[in-house]
Every structure is written in structure tokens, then in C-alpha cells.
Amino acid sequence: MDSLRDLISAAMLVAAAVLGALWLPATWLSENVVDQDGFLEIAAPLSQDAEVQRSLGDSAVTAVLDDDRIPDWIADQVEPLLQEQAVKLTDMDSYATMWDAVMSDLHTGLFTPGTQELEVDLGPAIDQLLTGVEETLPGGIEVPRPEGVSVSLATIPDVPLLNLAADAALWAPWLGPAALVLVAAALLLGAHRRGLLILAGALALLAGGATLLVSSQIETLVPNALDQAEFVGPIVQAFQAQFAAQLLPQGVILLGGGALVMALGLVLLGLRRPRRQRRP
């Protein structure tokens, strides 16, 4: 009977270790990828990336100069001034609004089945660029604003795995508490609690090691179609760096907790043996 109890307890501890190994990565994905607010928070600093700024600035300049309503003699004066203003694009109020809109669309597209085009409305940015240009033009010349200027930044690839992550995210916060409940139940049910405590510590060490492994190998787990995609790729790589940086200390803490539990079990096991030796 005791063997059966210990066997059931050991199975519960193994299940707890699996849940513990999934808990930290799943919670991070839930809070920083599936949740839009968390996604936008990590993506916000990327708006200052020089390559992104240059891409959007060049697109805005091209949209203005391609407008047939602008005479050639004005275009010749406007072009160098536009280039100067485009360098300041990230300092403009419209840029922050435009970036948030693009990142919101990117987040929605990542969780929408099938490939999606990521487009950006350049109208507000172009208006601010031309306002700065007009202040330096002689005679109060007004430059016509192109209408309905949207450009495609990239194609968002289809990643079915993200949809699965979105479904699993609902359960992520409960994985850790469920693991603790299983550990407590296993120790209460088991007949040889000291041995089970040692096993619990060893399995916690494995869960911590798995967390560290996932954090260090996250680049190999993300599909190439996603982290190599134009415009989207650098953003995904920034998320990978955040994932690794934040999960590394958490994995170390889990390792330390497992080592402490295992050491406690060994100490308790060592204290029990001398008592048995004193019996006649």
C-alpha cells in the first residue's frame, strides 16, 4: 500500500515539474506577446531604431515628391528640405501615434490566420514634415498634401503556433499554483516523505534547467519565417532578447529553490538514520 502511495506521489511530482517548467515561459508569453499592452511596451523603444526611421522617412519623402500637383521647380526646393525634416521624424508627435498604430496592427496580424500586409498611414507624418518645410520656403509657399498615403512595410507571415499560444495563455498564470498544489498533495499522500522531498528538489532542478535551456535557445525555437521577415524580423529578435534576459534569472531562482528542497530532504534523511541505529 505504501508503495502505491509513493508511486502516485512520484507521478504527481513529475506532473508538477512539467507544469513548473512550462509556467515561466508561458507566463512571459502571455504577458508580453499575447497581451497587446505588454507587446506595445516592449515594442515602444524599437521606434527609435535608425533603420526603421530611415525606411519610414524615405517612404514619406517619396510620397510627397511623387505627387503630380507639385511643380518641378518647387519639388527641387522641397526635396533637400524634406530630407532634413525626415531625420527628425522620430521627434514628431505624429510619429509616436503612427508607430503605436503600426505595432497594434502587427500584433493583430500575428494572431490572425494567414499572411497579412502590414501597412502604415503616412498622412499625419507627411503633414508635419511639410509644415516644417513650408516654414523655410520663401513667399509662404504651400506644398500640396498627398491624400490617402499608405505604404506596405512588410508581410506578416502566418504563424499557427502563436494562435496556440494565445489559447494556452489563459491557463499560464495557473500553472505555477497548480504545480505547488501537486507538490503539497504528493508530500501529504506519500509514505516516505523524505525521499519524496529529495525527488521534488531534483525535479525542480530539472524544471529550472529546462527554463534556462529554453531561454538560451529561444532563437532556434522561433520559426525562421518570423524572425527573418523584413521589418518584422528585427522586432521579433528584440522580443527574443527580452525573453532570454528576463527568464534567465527566474530559471536560476528555480534552480536554487530546487537545490534547497533537495538539500533539506537529504538533511532530514540523514537525521532519521541515527535514530534507527539506537534501537535494540
Side-chain angles (χ1 to χ4, degrees):
M1 187 65 178
D2 287 350
S3 297
L4 179 60
R5 289 168 56 191
D6 287 340
L7 182 62
I8 295 174
S9 296
M12 294 170 69
L13 290 177
V14 171
V18 173
L19 293 179
L22 293 174
W23 174 47
L24 294 175
T27 301
W28 192 94
L29 289 173
S30 174
E31 294 177 350
N32 299 286
V33 177
V34 178
D35 181 73
Q36 190 177 77
D37 291 338
F39 182 90
L40 294 179
E41 184 176 348
I42 292 181
L46 302 176
S47 64
Q48 302 300 317
D49 182 79
E51 184 177 348
V52 172
Q53 178 184 353
R54 184 168 53 253
S55 174
L56 294 175
D58 290 346
S59 298
V61 171
T62 300
V64 173
L65 297 178
D66 286 348
D67 194 328
D68 295 335
R69 294 175 297 171
I70 301 178
D72 292 341
W73 66 274
I74 294 182
D76 292 339
Q77 297 183 59
V78 167
E79 183 173 3
L81 297 174
L82 271 175
Q83 296 289 355
E84 292 179 8
Q85 292 294 320
V87 175
K88 307 173 186 176
L89 184 64
T90 54
D91 297 328
M92 299 179 179
D93 296 337
S94 60
Y95 181 78
T97 303
M98 181 174 63
W99 179 261
D100 287 343
V102 170
M103 289 300 100
S104 295
D105 290 343
L106 174 59
H107 183 267
T108 300
L110 287 172
F111 292 96
T112 302
T115 59
Q116 309 289 323
E117 288 299 317
L118 180 61
E119 296 187 348
V120 55
D121 178 14
L122 294 174
I126 289 175
D127 183 63
Q128 278 201 277
L129 288 175
L130 289 178
T131 298
V133 167
E134 289 169 346
E135 292 174 354
T136 62
L137 289 175
I141 297 176
E142 293 187 3
V143 182
R145 270 63 169 167
E147 298 179 358
V149 181
S150 294
V151 296
S152 177
L153 293 176
T155 299
I156 305 173
D158 182 25
V159 187
L161 183 62
L162 285 177
N163 292 314
L164 293 176
D167 294 336
L170 297 174
W171 302 98
W174 298 99
L175 296 180
L180 292 176
V181 169
L182 283 174
V183 170
L187 293 177
L188 289 174
L189 175 66
H192 299 86
R193 294 192 177 98
R194 293 172 179 82
L196 290 172
L197 197 61
I198 296 172
L199 177 61
L203 291 173
L205 285 173
L206 289 177
T211 301
L212 293 178
L213 181 63
V214 170
S215 66
S216 64
Q217 299 297 318
I218 185 61
E219 294 181 2
T220 63
L221 298 176
V222 176
N224 289 333
L226 190 58
D227 67 1
Q228 299 299 322
E230 183 181 0
F231 185 81
V232 177
I235 296 172
V236 172
Q237 291 164 19
F239 274 80
Q240 292 173 0
Q242 286 283 340
F243 179 88
Q246 293 181 14
L247 252 70
L248 176 61
Q250 295 177 4
V252 171
I253 291 173
L254 188 55
L255 277 174
L260 287 175
V261 171
M262 189 173 181
L264 177 61
L266 290 171
V267 169
L268 292 176
L269 188 63
L271 291 175
R272 182 184 181 186
R273 287 178 177 175
R275 293 179 181 177
R276 286 185 173 182
Q277 292 175 356
R278 295 192 192 103
R279 294 178 182 178

